[in-house]
Amino acid sequence: MSTISIQSVSKCYQNGFEALKNVNTEIHSGSFTVVLGPSGAGKSTLLRLINGLETPTTGAVRIGGEAVEEHKLRHIRSRVAMVFQQFNLVDRLSVVTNVLTGRLAQRSWVGSVLYLFRGEDMAIAQRVLARVGLTDKAWSRADKLSGGQQQRVGIARALAQQPKVILADEPVASLDPVSSEEIMTLLREICDRDGITVVVNLHQVELAKRFADRVIGMNGGRVVFDGPPAELSQQTLRTIYQREGIEDDNSLDLALAYA
Amino acid sequence: MNVHDLNSARPQLPPKPRNPMPVWVAATLAMLWLIVWDLEISFETLAYGVEDMAEYFSRYRQPDFSDLSRYLELMGITLATALWGTVFALLVAFFLAPLAARNFAPNPLAYRIARETLNFMRAMPDLLLALIFVAALGLGPLPGALALGVHTTGFLGKFLAESLERVDKGVCEGVASTGADFPQMVMYAGWPSILREALGYVLYILDRNVRMASVLGLVGAGGIGLALHDTLRLFNYGQSAALILVILATILIIDYASAWLRGRLG
Amino acid sequence: MTTVSTWRWPTPNGLPPLPLVGGALALLAGLWLTAPVVEVDFVRLIGSLGKMAAFAGQMFVAPDWQYVPQLLDKMLETIEMTVLGTAIAVVLSLPMGILAARNATPHIVVYRLTRDMLSLMRALPELVWALVFVSAVGLGPLPGVMALAFVTVGFMGKFFAEAIEVVDPKAVEGVRAHGAGWLQVRLFAMLPQALPDFVGTVMYILDHNLRAAAILGLVGAGGIGYDLVMSMRLFQYERLLLIALSIYLVVTLLDRLSDQLRTRIIHGRRA
Ligand SMILES: Nc1ncnc2c1ncn2[C@@H]1O[C@H](COP(=O)(O)OP(=O)(O)OP(=O)(O)O)[C@@H](O)[C@H]1O
Ligand SMILES: [Mg+2]
């Protein structure tokens, strides 16, 4: 089981900014959840808490009953993979090596510091590369690939971890519409076929409507909407995207009209 | 932010900058004059010396290469000393630098200890270290190599740690998010990202160590420096000139070689 | 699991890349061949650990407080030599830098000649030049300052030329378009742009020169170096301790100072 439960979590950054305010939610095993919200709503903070890249100020995050804590990070992260907006690949390493970093948590540092991998790990890397359609680019350097291809390497790295959960923080924000479509389809297929829980941060309401099982709307560090995408009416979108202190927001109306 | 907020603030001109330049220049000149006075540098001696200098340097006009094979052998020892010193520095810095980089260090204590160790190694001049190692190990190139190694570990370690601290935060998080531990972080997110910079630093250190190795002989640490010291003492200008030329030629060759290597890597 | 898993490198054939293996083997061969030359002998190295500890133990004697006034005097002399040598070098390297910058030099021949001269000047360490200058002008701080300035011009001229070469050509054209002459273009368009870079390198060089100056006394060229060698030769550990400590202190202090100044220059006036 890999249900993610977020229990009265607040996050106060070092500069005193409160990015999350008492968030409570549960994300079920095998579901595809999209988190929507304006810039600064706390979407990235939420995902980073689940992977342990940030620690909550109060409250706790549990994955399949296990709390995300400092001394268990390696174990937790081996099951919770992350996909980033800027891909965050190691430029100078080959595509295969980048994918193989997904296996690091399973292996002690003894062999891996010499870039030595087991045959099994290599087979896994080849399988996931085939799955994202990049077998022919396996030996290229990561920075020689296009953005869409790099993001597919990012997903392959996540898959190589054989995770229970994949967290994707705006995976398509730097990609063109066609690549975005490919990446979202890939993530959806991973969720359906492998039963991996997928949580995606998005800025595209339209993509959320088409791909998600469930949408969580955030604003100002709070959850302001939670439900299936069918319930995303103009009115709910208004609550999600409204800006503080602005009653008549022309930009908001204009943006939502095209959503 | 609201458009009105921007306009409501009264336009305020920045304060007129004062130009402190003349004061600084005057203070510097005064200080330099004080130093000259305190060091008792007499311009008479200097003028006298400069007048003599032409004559003095003309004594080096005829290099005496009769002992060239010995000079080359000494130069070989010097180069070997520099190589061992550099490899020593590389090995130690390889382990210390990640600990001394804030973003990679496993804990603040390890960070502080590594930083201070590097600072200490850097602060000790290599000739002073060579003197100490010669006292402990006896004469020969080994104490020289050790001295170069210890001193340049401080430099190389600092340079590499600073490079590691500039590694993109996203790349670090990308590898960290897979659950990699400290050695794996260093090998996958750290070194590959700074490879080219690191090679540049190592070449620079090698270059520097060759220069320094050629004077280590002065403190009894073997190599070509000792021979130069002896010939200069005996006022043997021909042989001194030959030795200086051998050192110069070697250093220029290394200069060009490392520039070429850097160009190929860059 | 009982199956023996095969280990592979992430390359098409599973073996480490050839250039890497070649390079590593070449380095190892080089070390192997030069080991006897450098007299690397691990037995001797381990054996000397005791001696090294004994030596370190001897350093922990009651410091010779009577020596402190002379120490301060010599330390001040060392610092003064550093500052003076560096200052002279700064003044001399400005014109050298202009002549050695591809975009500022009057003629390509001048450029090549200046470049070569600069690399000759910095090829040998200060100590060798100090040795030469001591034979030329006699003992004392003067040959030390000369040696420091000489080598520093070699380094600083090169750094400065490189800083000028990356100056924005548009600003230079702007000044030239207003009818500025040869020298004016260099003084008012190129120098101001190259200056911030220059200040950073001056700090590095000051740092380096302080260490060098601390040693020059070895050949009679002034500074703390003479006392250092003498106390070592005469086994005056109660002085040696003080000298080593003071060198460490001054160098560390300057190091911190230059680190701070550099970050301030790089990140503007804050921090
Ligand atoms: N390391 C940090 N230190 C201080 N404040 C931070 C830090 N990281 C984020 N914040 C602040 O926390 C708030 C929420 O940030 P977060 O990145 O979670 O927003 P987001 O919803 O992902 O926005 P976006 O859609 O622009 O990515 C923002 O106001 C941001 O300025
Ligand atoms: Mg974000």
Side-chain angles (χ1 to χ4, degrees), chain B residues 131 218-220 229 233, chain C residues 218 226-237 240:
Chain B
L131 279 170
L218 291 181
V219 295
H229 194 210
R233 266 212 181 146
Chain C
L218 202 63
Y226 181 71
D227 287 25
L228 177 70
V229 183
M230 281 330 276
S231 59
M232 206 157 239
R233 298 249 157 93
L234 303 175
F235 305 106
Q236 294 173 323
Y237 293 108
L240 191 58

Side-chain angles (χ1 to χ4, degrees), chain A residues 38-45 48 85 169-170 201 203:
Chain A
S39 275
K43 307 184 294 296
S44 300
T45 307
R48 293 165 62 82
Q85 178 184 347
D169 191 2
E170 296 181 30
N201 283 351
H203 276 310

Side-chain angles (χ1 to χ4, degrees), chain C residues 176-244:
Chain C
R176 190 172 285 142
H178 285 283
W182 189 89
L183 193 62
Q184 284 166 321
V185 168
R186 274 141 192 86
L187 285 185
F188 297 111
M190 291 180 164
L191 284 193
Q193 282 193 66
L195 222 52
D197 232 15
F198 199 40
V199 176
T201 53
V202 168
M203 286 317 288
Y204 263 125
I205 286 186
L206 211 56
D207 211 89
H208 168 93
N209 280 354
L210 184 64
R211 275 179 260 260
I215 287 302
L216 287 178
L218 202 63
V219 296
I224 191 82
Y226 181 71
D227 287 25
L228 177 70
V229 183
M230 281 330 276
S231 59
M232 206 157 239
R233 298 249 157 93
L234 303 175
F235 305 106
Q236 294 173 323
Y237 293 108
E238 57 284 346
R239 285 188 176 192
L240 191 58
L241 176 69
L242 282 176
I243 296 172

Side-chain angles (χ1 to χ4, degrees), chain A residues 91 137 140-146 149-150:
Chain A
D91 282 348
K137 294 282 180 198
S140 339
R141 256 174 61 162
D143 55 356
K144 297 274 183 287
L145 267 53
S146 73
Q149 289 170 330
Q150 288 197 36

Side-chain angles (χ1 to χ4, degrees), chain A residues 48 51 74 77-78 80 82 84 88-90 92-93 97 101 104-105 107-109 112-113 115 117 157 161, chain B residues 168-171 173-181 183-189 191-196:
Chain A
R48 293 165 62 82
N51 184 264
R74 188 169 160 90
R77 284 176 179 169
S78 72
V80 181
M82 190 121 180
F84 299 86
N88 292 358
L89 304 175
V90 185
R92 203 175 287 277
L93 295 180
T97 318
T101 50
L104 288 178
R107 304 291 174 227
S108 91
W109 59 271
S112 54
V113 295
Y115 297 91
F117 290 92
R157 171 169 73 185
Q161 289 182 241
Chain B
D168 183 51
K169 189 157 168 275
V171 172
E173 285 184 352
V175 177
S177 73
T178 68
D181 57 14
Q184 293 172 335
M185 281 296 292
V186 173
M187 288 310 290
Y188 287 81
W191 295 125
S193 306
I194 66 161
L195 193 62
R196 191 188 306 157

Side-chain angles (χ1 to χ4, degrees), chain A residues 11-20 35-48 54 85 169-170 201-203 218 221, chain B residues 169:
Chain A
K11 173 67 188 177
C12 200
Y13 279 112
Q14 229 137 37
N15 59 7
F17 187 87
E18 205 178 6
L20 289 180
V35 184
L36 290 177
S39 275
K43 307 184 294 296
S44 300
T45 307
L46 186 68
L47 284 207
R48 293 165 62 82
E54 306 284 355
Q85 178 184 347
D169 191 2
E170 296 181 30
N201 283 351
L202 281 182
H203 276 310
M218 295 190 67
Chain B
K169 189 157 168 275

